[in-house]
Amino acid sequence: GVRDVLFVYEENRCSMTYMYEYPEYLKIKLPKKTARRYPTYELYLYGEGNYAEENKNLLLTGIPVLFLPGNAGSYKQVRSLGSIALRKAEDADFKYHFNFFSVNFNEELVALYGGSLQRQTKFVHECIKVILKLYRDGEFAPSSVAIVGHSMGGLVARALLTLKNFKPELINLLITQATPHMAPVMPLDKYLTDFYRAVNSHWILKAQAVRNLTTLSVAGGFRDYQVRSGLAFLPRLSQHDSALSVVSSAVPRAWASTDHLSIVWCKELILATIRALFDLIDENTRQITEDPKKRMSVLNHHFVRHPAKIFEEKPEALTELTGAFMWITVKASKWTYSVYNDSDGKYFTFPLASHRKSYSHVYCGSNMLDTSSWIYGCINSSSAVCLEAADLSWRAELLPTTKASVVQNFNGFFFSFLFKVVILKLQDYPSVSHLVIPVPPAVGNKYSLDCEFFQEDSRTVQLPVTHLFSFGFSSSKVLFNSTGFFYNVQLQHFNQIYQAFKISIESQCQALQERKPSVYRLHVPWSHEDSMTVAKVPSFTEMSAKLHIAQPQKDSRVPELNIYSSADCQYEVTLKTSLSQVLGQIIRFHAGTLPVYVVSNILLTYGGQLSTLISTGQCSDFSLELVRTAKPYKVEPLISIVVFLQGFNWFRELWESLSLPEVEAAVLSQDAWFPLVSLILFLFGTGIAYWSGIVFSTSLRLFSSLWLALIRPPVLGKDNKLITPRRLCRVLSLSLLSWTTCGALAIVILYLQYLLKVLRGLSILMAAVKGQSSLARSSAAPQSLCSSTSTEALNSLKMHVTIFHLLTWVVLLSLPSFIYWLKNLRYNVRLDPDPCRSTAVILICILDILMTSSTSEVKSSKLLKVAAQVPLPLSLAMLAFGRVHLYKVPHFVTFSLLLHVLCCIV
């Protein structure tokens, strides 16, 4: 599953963007108050060559666009957008042009530490005010700024609307690239989850205010394993006319999945974005249009369905067909026409009256890819000549015809690699008497046209997908002889994120002749996440079928495999469940919860060790106790029952009356298969805990042997004093360090101290065992006292190793804030806010006592039975309430260790 996520995806189809002149970044001077409040942040203006020189005096006349980088992102990532926008402006003789600004967030790790997100948002607000002031004396001064945000930069842009003093009219267009809108990828601290809750709640509760802002979210597809595309979809609002979410694999003329960084420079996507920006310009104001309907029309034109025509806001309803062309009537239901060096223009007309009774749809395709209209519906005709017609070219869409990257210029197309198709339902055009296809003179050009009338039922095949538990041993097949140009395979019962299939399509043709390639499109009707595959004919092609978004509850539509086929060929479609991709989907959607499952297993093992200490007086080995104790049936069934009961109103009301938090398993549960998925994740967590235990023990033995060789260990002994002035002084100094700098720093220091404690203890024990064995060979004297001391030391060491396991995961979950603090140390010594500060202070007090504790003190404690029973409910609580909030995991670990300390004292 991990391999499927990280390595098994389509090849990179993106072209690199290049600058034609040296890029320059002009630093914009900020007001003193702003610069003093945000010393680590900066604002830049992008430029190249002469354009950069002209803008050094900041007399700007263009349209402002602000780029916001994401997690650890650079302000220089704006160069792809800025450079291509400059080239397009040059092509149009600078009639319109854009000024691209970029914010330097000092490459902060905001995806791992949420404490600076609010600060970034406030700084962007100040930047917008500064940018608009630069234009205030201009003839066409803008009143708003367009924003392009990559990754977390897109979330910061959305958060602007939550600020008290922010005016929503300051931004009217927001384009986000691979931004996790729905939830954080790794919810590692409270500030991150609170920020998400505030932003998404505002967008849902105050949807009317958001409605004036047009938002486009572009996800990277399966190549982006850092931010899965399901997270990049905007929250569903009742007003769907102001927000659009697409996956890059479905974007016309791109049709490519991107990784998390390449989405910033992918030429095909950047071209689509820049073309959209230029089409959004209002000729009167010379700024981005204030009309939200036009903004959505432009975005749909470039990112959803491109009709191979230059965008027109209000295309003409009726057109007069002019030109001294020959009129030719075509009565056949299937028609193909090839043009090469034809000097005479023609109008081909298809009378619909004779076809309406026998056929429901008409298909037409053409590889003549100029941007002029190419198919019309005749409204008014006279003697086989159409006088007035409706332009049906806007119903067409572009498709690729080769695996090569699509070569494009800024305004038009490179014709060899694309073709356009239109499928019309005849019932929707009752007033149309004829279809008309104009064929202009083609001197030196070669292209072809295909048309056919067909009955929808004859071209639609239903293919039930294989069951999840078929494991690829069974398959579903469909075979059809292609007599036309289009077939539709409906994938029945394919609606859940855990389903994943391998689809094989084999095409065979009788006559050996040159044919246009076939295009296979996996179409998901409830979200814009289509994927395209182009194949030669004949050929054998494999493609994957899996979802980014599960089917909404009230949506009955099914995914489809659209086959744009070659006529007179046979196609066999075989569908099998792909076990590796099913596991890949589980990892893709739930890898962020794995730390909870691992720690849950370790806690169960820890409780088992305390129980054996009660029953046998001995502490069992970590790996053996894990195998014996960490069983999924102890936790999974109870959580599944609670999740099931939460589907009933009475139970939900009872739960809320007890002021209990929401069960996060219910949030994660996307379908009926989630209990099984949770079981798989638990077993995966068991495996990680087991093998990490093996690696730990091996590493500890290796380092202890080295310790033993270099340093002579002290004699095996025992320290009865748990609290001494020296330890008290150490606790106070570490607490002070935690409070004045960074809590995670204190946790890391504690961790290293504990590691030294364990290494020292193991080396002493190894030396004692070695000494006892040599003494036993030389003398027959009784060794009972030494043996009992060694046994006690061994028991204590086993318990310390398990505590060290738990502490390791606490450190791993605290590391992001530590790295953030370290990176920003030159600006501020104290991390504020600090998500680990309070946890660190408690752990300092606990671990300083635990370091010197032994199992002999614990065995005699009155609280040992309680301490042995608590890890099980803690594991349950962790799985119930910690999967969506990873920062809660250290709290559960800290509580279990606190009980251990009490056992040492009481």
Side-chain angles (χ1 to χ4, degrees), residues 13-25:
R13 299 183 194 173
C14 284
S15 306
M16 175 62 78
T17 49
Y18 294 96
M19 281 101 269
Y20 291 91
E21 296 176 281
Y22 193 78
E24 294 185 36
Y25 304 89

Side-chain angles (χ1 to χ4, degrees), residues 101-269:
F101 297 84
S102 185
V103 173
N104 178 16
F105 284 134
N106 193 33
E107 299 184 9
E108 290 181 334
L109 302 170
V110 286
L112 304 177
Y113 169 74
S116 63
L117 283 168
Q118 194 68 23
R119 187 162 59 248
Q120 285 191 3
T121 307
K122 291 177 180 178
F123 179 73
V124 172
H125 184 199
E126 297 299 323
C127 287
I128 291 172
K129 290 189 282 189
V130 169
I131 290 168
L132 291 176
K133 279 182 182 178
L134 296 175
Y135 295 85
R136 62 186 171 188
D137 297 327
E139 183 182 356
F140 298 98
S143 58
S144 63
V145 174
I147 295 181
V148 179
H150 172 241
S151 188
M152 294 298 287
L155 187 73
V156 168
R158 287 179 60 216
L160 284 168
L161 296 171
T162 65
L163 298 178
K164 289 181 180 178
N165 300 324
F166 184 78
K167 298 175 182 177
E169 58 269 19
L170 289 180
I171 50 173
N172 58 12
L173 177 68
L174 169 61
I175 299 175
T176 67
Q177 303 167 326
T179 297
H181 290 293
M182 296 295 289
V185 177
M186 294 288 285
L188 292 169
D189 65 58
K190 187 175 184 293
Y191 310 113
L192 191 59
T193 55
D194 286 351
F195 189 81
Y196 264 91
R197 191 181 299 112
V199 172
N200 287 332
S201 297
H202 182 90
W203 275 59
I204 292 168
L205 297 175
K206 298 185 179 179
Q208 195 62 37
V210 178
R211 197 173 182 179
N212 294 323
L213 171 64
T214 302
T215 311
L216 168 69
S217 174
V218 183
F222 290 110
R223 279 186 65 86
D224 188 350
Y225 55 80
Q226 293 184 46
V227 176
R228 63 176 175 87
S229 296
L231 291 177
F233 279 67
L234 290 159
R236 295 180 184 273
L237 307 175
S238 56
Q239 293 86 2
H240 291 284
D241 55 351
S242 64
L244 178 64
S245 301
V246 298
V247 180
S248 60
S249 59
V251 175
R253 295 190 284 177
W255 298 301
S257 177
T258 64
D259 60 55
H260 196 61
L261 291 179
S262 69
I263 199 169
V264 174
W265 54 255
C266 179
K267 184 179 178 181
E268 289 74 19
L269 273 178

Side-chain angles (χ1 to χ4, degrees), residues 468-729:
L468 196 65
F469 292 117
S470 63
F471 300 120
F473 295 113
S474 62
S475 63
S476 293
K477 287 187 180 182
V478 62
L479 179 69
F480 52 86
N481 293 311
S482 173
T483 57
F485 302 109
F486 175 77
Y487 283 84
N488 184 27
V489 181
Q490 293 183 340
L491 305 178
Q492 299 290 322
H493 315 301
F494 179 28
N495 50 23
Q496 299 298 341
I497 55 173
Y498 304 125
Q499 294 173 295
F501 307 98
K502 185 182 288 184
I503 299 177
S504 306
I505 306 171
E506 186 175 8
S507 58
Q508 294 179 343
C509 306
Q510 294 178 352
L512 295 175
Q513 64 185 59
E514 186 180 350
R515 300 172 185 274
K516 68 177 183 181
S518 294
V519 178
Y520 310 130
R521 173 168 66 182
L522 180 65
H523 173 60
V524 181
W526 55 79
S527 63
H528 301 296
E529 56 176 280
D530 294 9
S531 57
M532 299 276 191
T533 302
V534 181
K536 294 180 180 179
V537 179
S539 67
F540 179 82
T541 306
E542 286 189 344
M543 58 188 297
S544 297
K546 46 196 175 187
L547 299 173
H548 295 293
I549 295 284
Q551 185 182 36
Q553 288 184 350
K554 295 181 181 180
D555 199 322
S556 59
R557 294 171 295 176
V558 295
E560 299 169 343
L561 177 64
N562 302 144
I563 299 177
Y564 296 89
S565 57
S566 293
D568 307 318
C569 292
Q570 187 183 72
Y571 288 81
E572 183 181 52
V573 180
T574 306
L575 182 144
K576 289 183 178 181
T577 296
S578 172
L579 179 60
S580 63
Q581 292 187 59
V582 168
L583 295 173
Q585 286 291 85
I586 293 172
I587 295 300
R588 181 173 285 108
F589 279 82
H590 300 297
T593 65
L594 276 174
V596 179
Y597 287 95
V598 177
V599 177
S600 177
N601 275 275
I602 298 172
L603 270 180
L604 289 173
T605 306
Y606 172 64
Q609 285 181 316
L610 292 176
S611 297
T612 54
L613 201 61
I614 296 170
S615 57
T616 64
Q618 305 293 323
C619 184
S620 54
D621 185 70
F622 176 82
S623 298
L624 295 174
E625 192 61 40
L626 178 75
V627 172
R628 189 182 72 85
T629 313
K631 302 296 182 184
Y633 61 78
K634 292 183 177 181
V635 291
E636 289 296 332
L638 185 59
I639 292 175
S640 297
I641 290 168
V642 173
V643 171
F644 172 75
L645 289 174
Q646 286 221 323
F648 298 98
N649 289 330
W650 64 268
F651 186 82
R652 208 160 45 243
E653 289 171 4
L654 176 63
W655 191 270
E656 290 171 359
S657 66
L658 296 172
S659 300
L660 292 171
E662 187 178 12
V663 178
E664 292 173 5
V667 177
L668 289 169
S669 179
Q670 303 220 9
D671 59 15
W673 293 108
F674 185 75
L676 177 63
V677 171
S678 187
L679 174 63
I680 292 170
L681 291 169
F682 187 93
L683 295 175
F684 195 9
T686 307
I688 293 172
Y690 180 83
W691 287 106
S692 63
I694 297 294
V695 170
F696 263 137
S697 59
T698 306
S699 302
L700 287 172
R701 285 178 184 278
L702 184 66
F703 284 116
S704 295
S705 300
L706 189 63
W707 181 300
L708 202 59
L710 296 175
I711 302 169
R712 184 176 178 182
V715 182
L716 191 66
K718 187 173 164 182
D719 189 358
N720 290 320
K721 293 182 179 180
L722 290 174
I723 301 173
T724 62
R726 185 180 176 183
R727 286 172 194 157
L728 192 62
C729 183

Side-chain angles (χ1 to χ4, degrees), residues 315-382:
E316 293 182 10
L318 294 176
T319 305
E320 292 184 7
L321 299 180
T322 57
F325 290 1
M326 184 188 302
W327 289 83
I328 301 173
T329 302
V330 179
K331 295 183 178 180
S333 62
K334 183 179 175 184
W335 173 79
T336 298
Y337 184 76
S338 296
V339 182
Y340 182 63
N341 274 342
D342 194 346
S343 59
D344 297 324
K346 300 177 180 68
Y347 281 121
F348 290 95
T349 65
F350 300 80
L352 299 184
S354 58
H355 294 302
R356 289 188 185 275
K357 293 180 181 178
S358 304
Y359 305 106
S360 62
H361 289 71
V362 60
Y363 164 98
C364 284
S366 170
N367 61 0
M368 179 182 64
L369 288 184
D370 59 4
T371 57
S372 59
S373 299
W374 65 283
I375 183 167
Y376 297 89
C378 187
I379 304 295
N380 184 9
S381 61
S382 174

